[in-house]
Amino acid sequence: MSATASTLVHVAAPHRRRTLADPPWLKRILLTIALGFVGLFLVIPLAAVFVEALRGGLRLYGAALTEPDALSAVWLTLLAAGIAVPCNVIFGLAAAWTIAKFDFRGKSVLTTLIDLPFAVSPVIAGLVYVLMFGAQGWMGEWLADRDLRIIFATPGIVLATIFVTFPLVARELIPLMQAQGRDEELAALTLGAGGWKTFWRVTLPNAKWGLFYGVVLCNARAMGEFGAVSVVSGHIRGETNTIPLHVEILYNEYQTQAAFAVASLLTLLALLTMLLKSIIEWRHRRALLAAAHAETRTFAS
Amino acid sequence: MRTPHPESPPPLRTRRHRVLPGFGLTLGTTLLFLSLIVLLPLSAAFIRTAGLTWDEFWAQVTSPRVLASYRLTFGAALAAAAANAFFGVIVAWVLVRYEFPGRKIVDALVDLPFALPTAVAGIALTALYAPTGWIGRALDPLGVKVAYTPLGIWVALTFIGLPFIVRTVQPVLEELEPELEEAAATLGATRLQTLARVVLPALLPATCTGFTLALARGIGEYGSVVFISGNMPLRTEITPLLIVTKLEQYDYAGATALAVVMLVVSFTLLFGVQVLQRWFFSPERHGR
């Protein structure tokens, strides 16, 4: 839940030269345990995906990816993420502006409520939408009368995706914008800029790396979500299957190689996400240092 | 921040900050999204369950199959969070304090369980730990079965939970003042005593927070578990899977009642994390 939140704002203390070192034997034991654990639980599963995917050769790998059901799963995944991510960007910016720039009663309650979807099992996230829009749900009859489908159709998949990714953009932006304070916005307003202009010219550029970071995480989760989407999708081949659901179907039909081939697409996306995250963290650290330098220069002159 | 004129009374806090525009618009947007996407749907689960009598509800959430699923889900999630607390602190320690080739790659790799879709993790772990898999083949002669047993569920949940501990302990470790350790050494403590009496207690709050986060995630986890667990009722059926099964059998009342139980547990854990953090990081504890 809060594990990823503080990583961006947090600036590591410069590495101090240790005057105290662990004895070499202890160092060796701890390194072995840590690297062994990481190797067993992270590296080997990661390698297994690609080994299994390429087991039947490149031609079968390509065939699994270009088969019509796979392509329609890719299309649906892109569509769902393409709607869910912008929705969460709008929500995240609004929530961060409210929480970071204003003081009001109930602010901590609001912050907690935004985190709520992280505490909810993905299966339950799907279930609650079935209770709302399913055939037996609150709006089931009303929707059926108008021939509208949400559950077992694309809108349900999009809604479930928005739910599970809901806090991701907001919780990257809130601590960042809180740390930046409101002085720059106040200065812009004093100089005559309007609210929107202040937002576009001051707030957004300041928060752009945090926003990008949130979008990257949000997109990865949106494209990879399984539990919630599985409950609302109905698993109609070529129609309501996203990439993760397509992987499940292939795997359950013992088309192991094809399942891993499609899964390797998602794994590449995960690796790309981790790479971008590392780059942004590195850049952001530099940007913060640069800002600190600029400040000292301003005060010195 | 503007300093108020000495003679003027201190301005009202709320007034001063409302100088910025857009409070109504952004608060309204936030509340609208929050209500429509999160609060209203979640309340549907509670309202649906309120339609049951207490006896019906109790029968739904305490049937033998359901009780077996609780034991398995909570047991495996607790065991996985405990394993992660142990290994995660060591991984964080190694990443912050030691220099070794590939440190940055290992550091980035810790995020893999966050970034990798759960279904992919599920099939990869199953392929590894199945009796024919790379690891399963080695364990099979020893009589250890992992895939399709509770042990497999533990493996999946340990994979999922690792970053929660590492990413909460790491920043605390980075900011830990070396002076404390130096003082302990100066006063005659051996390195092991320093680690046990000075470093570990300082990491305890973050470890507890990470443990609770990993536990909460483990209890609700679905995608990575369904493939490796084998899904046998009473033996390897976790509670989220039971919800899906009931839903597929159109047992809405049963599925919703179970969901309410899980939501109450999750919210309690979330609340617990907040209380923990507020207590551990309260100004009094830091003497500020």
Side-chain angles (χ1 to χ4, degrees):
Chain A
M1 277 169 263
S2 74
T4 53
S6 56
T7 38
L8 192 63
V9 173
H10 169 81
V11 185
H15 274 277
R16 295 172 224 224
R17 283 293 111 221
R18 272 164 285 118
T19 47
L20 286 165
D22 294 344
W25 60 268
L26 182 65
K27 208 170 155 174
R28 212 166 301 141
I29 290 176
L30 292 182
L31 260 177
T32 312
I33 295 177
L35 295 182
F37 187 74
V38 168
L40 183 65
F41 275 90
L42 302 181
V43 180
I44 295 182
L46 188 60
V49 172
F50 292 103
V51 172
E52 296 282 339
L54 294 168
R55 178 158 281 179
L58 274 176
R59 219 156 51 96
L60 277 178
Y61 181 82
L65 296 185
T66 49
E67 169 227 351
D69 285 348
L71 289 178
S72 84
V74 170
W75 167 242
L76 183 58
T77 298
L78 291 176
L79 180 70
I83 300 173
V85 173
C87 280
N88 281 332
V89 166
I90 295 172
F91 165 74
L93 284 169
W97 182 271
T98 306
I99 289 171
K101 308 289 180 193
F102 298 99
D103 286 327
F104 55 94
R105 209 183 289 194
K107 187 153 110 167
S108 65
V109 177
L110 183 62
T111 316
T112 307
L113 286 178
I114 290 174
D115 274 349
L116 216 52
F118 277 164
V120 174
S121 171
V123 168
I124 296 174
L127 169 75
V128 293
Y129 285 107
V130 174
L131 292 179
M132 295 262 297
F133 303 115
Q136 313 249 327
W138 281 356
M139 299 179 60
E141 246 172 73
W142 189 89
L143 289 168
D145 287 348
R146 277 150 194 81
D147 212 19
L148 295 170
R149 281 180 83 88
I150 292 184
I151 298 307
F152 305 150
T154 310
I157 293 173
V158 172
L159 281 173
T161 306
I162 297 179
F163 184 100
V164 293
T165 55
F166 191 72
L168 279 167
V169 178
R171 62 176 314 148
E172 290 306 329
L173 284 176
I174 291 168
L176 180 70
M177 281 168 63
Q178 257 169 347
Q180 287 169 343
R182 41 203 155 206
D183 293 357
E184 289 191 34
E185 280 83 3
L186 286 173
L189 288 168
T190 314
L191 294 171
W196 283 109
K197 196 169 180 186
T198 308
F199 171 78
W200 286 112
R201 305 287 279 275
V202 177
T203 311
L204 203 57
N206 276 343
K208 66 172 184 248
W209 286 113
L211 181 63
F212 185 52
Y213 188 94
V215 166
V216 167
L217 296 183
C218 182
N219 180 61
R221 182 73 203 267
M223 291 192 171
E225 178 52 30
F226 177 71
V229 170
S230 161
V231 171
V232 295
S233 114
H235 300 93
I236 306 164
R237 265 199 139 155
E239 267 182 58
T240 61
N241 269 342
T242 59
I243 305 179
L245 298 178
H246 188 58
V247 169
E248 183 200 20
I249 289 190
L250 291 172
Y251 189 82
N252 286 342
E253 289 175 350
Y254 301 102
Q255 303 189 44
T256 312
Q257 189 266 334
F260 276 100
V262 180
S264 75
L265 276 187
L266 292 170
T267 311
L268 288 174
L269 173 73
L271 291 175
L272 181 69
T273 304
M274 286 154 64
L275 181 72
L276 284 174
K277 179 175 180 281
S278 300
I279 292 174
I280 299 165
E281 270 169 13
W282 179 71
R283 277 203 70 137
H284 189 80
R285 220 161 262 185
R286 252 191 1 179
L288 273 186
L289 284 178
H293 279 300
E295 206 159 282
T296 34
R297 267 203 310 276
T298 325
F299 282 115
S301 62
Chain B
M1 205 72 75
R2 298 170 305 160
T3 38
H5 195 264
E7 268 102 353
S8 67
L12 285 172
R13 280 196 108 218
T14 45
R15 269 298 169 81
R16 190 182 51 184
H17 298 323
R18 299 274 161 85
V19 170
L20 283 176
F23 179 68
L25 177 70
T26 54
L27 184 65
T29 311
T30 307
L31 290 179
L32 184 72
F33 266 82
L34 189 66
S35 308
L36 288 182
I37 299 288
V38 180
L39 299 180
L40 189 65
L42 282 180
S43 69
F46 288 92
I47 293 170
R48 191 48 98 95
T49 304
L52 298 176
T53 68
W54 176 255
D55 289 338
E56 283 169 336
F57 175 75
W58 192 249
Q60 288 285 2
V61 300
T62 56
S63 76
R65 189 171 167 191
V66 171
L67 287 178
S69 85
Y70 294 153
R71 271 193 296 273
L72 178 67
T73 310
F74 290 100
L78 270 172
N84 274 325
F86 177 76
F87 289 108
V89 169
I90 295 179
V91 171
W93 177 261
V94 163
L95 286 176
V96 174
R97 292 297 181 96
Y98 297 162
E99 285 292 336
F100 56 93
R103 188 176 63 86
K104 280 200 168 145
I105 295 176
V106 174
D107 194 10
L109 210 58
V110 168
D111 281 326
L112 182 71
F114 279 156
L116 194 69
T118 52
V120 178
I123 64 169
L125 291 172
T126 311
L128 284 174
Y129 287 94
T132 51
W134 298 351
I135 300 174
R137 212 163 27 207
L139 292 175
D140 207 39
L142 307 173
V144 182
K145 299 226 182 308
V146 180
Y148 320 123
T149 70
L151 195 58
I153 300 172
W154 174 83
V155 168
L157 295 183
T158 306
F159 172 86
I160 291 298
L162 177 68
F164 288 97
I165 307 270
V166 178
R167 293 299 185 230
T168 34
V169 170
Q170 216 173 359
V172 179
L173 207 47
E174 274 166 0
E175 276 169 10
L176 203 64
E177 313 222 337
E179 286 82 359
L180 289 177
E181 293 165 57
E182 275 165 25
T186 318
L187 293 172
T190 65
R191 186 63 189 152
L192 279 185
Q193 280 174 321
T194 310
L195 289 180
R197 301 277 187 80
V198 177
V199 177
L200 283 183
L203 298 182
L204 192 64
T207 313
C208 285
T209 307
F211 178 88
T212 317
L213 293 173
L215 180 66
R217 175 70 201 264
I219 289 170
E221 181 55 26
Y222 175 71
S224 60
V225 175
V226 281
F227 295 98
I228 204 168
S229 71
N231 308 331
M232 282 168 284
L234 295 168
R235 291 206 42 230
T236 58
E237 188 177 55
I238 53 166
T239 313
L241 176 75
L242 195 50
I243 293 178
V244 174
T245 311
K246 282 177 183 283
L247 203 57
E248 279 170 359
Q249 293 163 351
Y250 301 103
D251 179 5
Y252 284 76
T256 314
L258 265 186
V260 163
V261 171
M262 291 200 70
L263 283 174
V264 169
V265 172
S266 307
F267 293 164
T268 311
L269 285 174
L270 182 70
F271 183 70
V273 170
Q274 303 260 331
V275 171
L276 265 179
Q277 285 191 320
R278 220 159 277 172
W279 184 68
F280 282 132
F281 300 108
S282 65
E284 294 87 47
R285 265 181 64 92
H286 291 264
R288 257 179 265 140

